[in-house]
Amino acid sequence: MASGPEHNGKPFARIALIASDTKRAQEACEALAAQGEFVPLADADVAVVLGGDGFMLQTLHAMLDSGHIVPAYGMNLGTVGFLMNRYDKRGALTARLARARHWTIAPLRVEAITQSGEVHHFCAINELSILRETRQTAKIEVTVGDRVRIRELVCDGVLVATPAGSTAYNLSANGPILPLDSKLLALTPISPFRPRRWRGAILPDRMKIGLKVLDPVKRPVAAVADQKELRDIAEVRLEIANDTALTLLFDPGQSLEERIVAEQFITD
């Protein structure tokens, strides 16, 4: 789930300045720190995140884990920077934040059960992937809603992507790009062997998805949620977490929605 861009226009009183460990991000952090006083993330009402998409995801997960969730404004000092704004140390940071457009997204809520019976709960902002751990292909039963849709999917893996994550691993696996406000999920196989012609599904995000690993001892599978990995999975259950909103801030004309649209017209 994603809501459209909103312009707040109100200044943020307490700003956290967070940077990745890279040299570029640390130098940028030092330059921006001269603009004023900043507070720890736990005390902030907005976070300025310096780094790449991976560091932004890491920061958003830290918010989810702590329960203190505030809008995040990223400046790209990484590679792709799909979730980030252009880095510019010129101009007042407070003015950029006041002009920024707000995009609200919802992550996936995941329940993962291991072969030993342990139950783990976590969120996935971009996608949840289950991937074979060995040379043996994975065999997975796919349930959508209350019905088994594929009794045995033989593949390297399968993933469920949110609209915000549909241009990441999902796109590389030939999955569809989803508009941010589409209220859809992409269910995409990774190198499917059987049924060979199945290319995945686009699903309403209100539907629950279950992925059960068949023959998990001989064909072990790992679950990966953004940057979190859990091995020897027996089953995962997923649903959209509409009650857990995350807000990203973008400069006017540089919204995540526009980037998702533009990605569909790249031809090189």
Side-chain angles (χ1 to χ4, degrees), residues 146-221:
D146 57 357
R147 294 179 56 186
V148 174
R149 307 292 175 165
I150 300 180
R151 297 200 175 276
E152 185 179 85
L153 172 62
V154 183
C155 56
D156 282 353
V158 63
L159 65 85
V160 180
T162 66
S166 65
T167 59
Y169 189 14
N170 173 69
L171 181 59
S172 298
N174 296 315
I177 294 177
L178 304 175
L180 266 184
D181 57 357
S182 63
K183 295 187 178 181
L184 298 172
L185 297 173
L187 177 61
T188 303
I190 302 168
S191 300
F193 179 72
R194 191 171 57 244
R196 194 180 296 272
R197 291 191 175 185
W198 188 63
R199 292 294 179 262
I202 299 174
L203 305 171
D205 69 3
R206 66 180 181 273
M207 303 195 80
K208 297 182 179 181
I209 300 171
L211 303 170
K212 183 178 181 180
V213 181
L214 306 177
D215 198 2
V217 176
K218 181 180 179 182
R219 303 170 184 273
V221 163

Side-chain angles (χ1 to χ4, degrees), residues 36-112:
E37 294 185 3
F38 297 91
V39 301
L41 180 58
D43 300 324
D45 54 20
V46 66
V48 174
V49 183
L50 307 177
D53 288 336
F55 188 67
M56 173 61 84
L57 289 174
Q58 180 180 325
T59 302
L60 294 174
H61 276 287
M63 292 183 193
L64 288 170
D65 291 343
S66 69
H68 182 66
I69 300 173
V70 298
Y73 178 87
M75 287 190 180
N76 185 30
L77 289 149
T79 305
V80 179
F82 197 81
L83 302 175
M84 317 298 278
N85 297 280
R86 178 177 55 86
Y87 170 66
D88 189 348
K89 64 182 179 182
R90 299 168 299 178
L93 182 57
T94 53
R96 290 184 73 174
L97 292 174
R99 292 193 303 267
R101 300 283 181 165
H102 295 217
W103 267 105
T104 302
I105 60 175
L108 289 165
R109 181 180 291 115
V110 183
E111 179 183 77

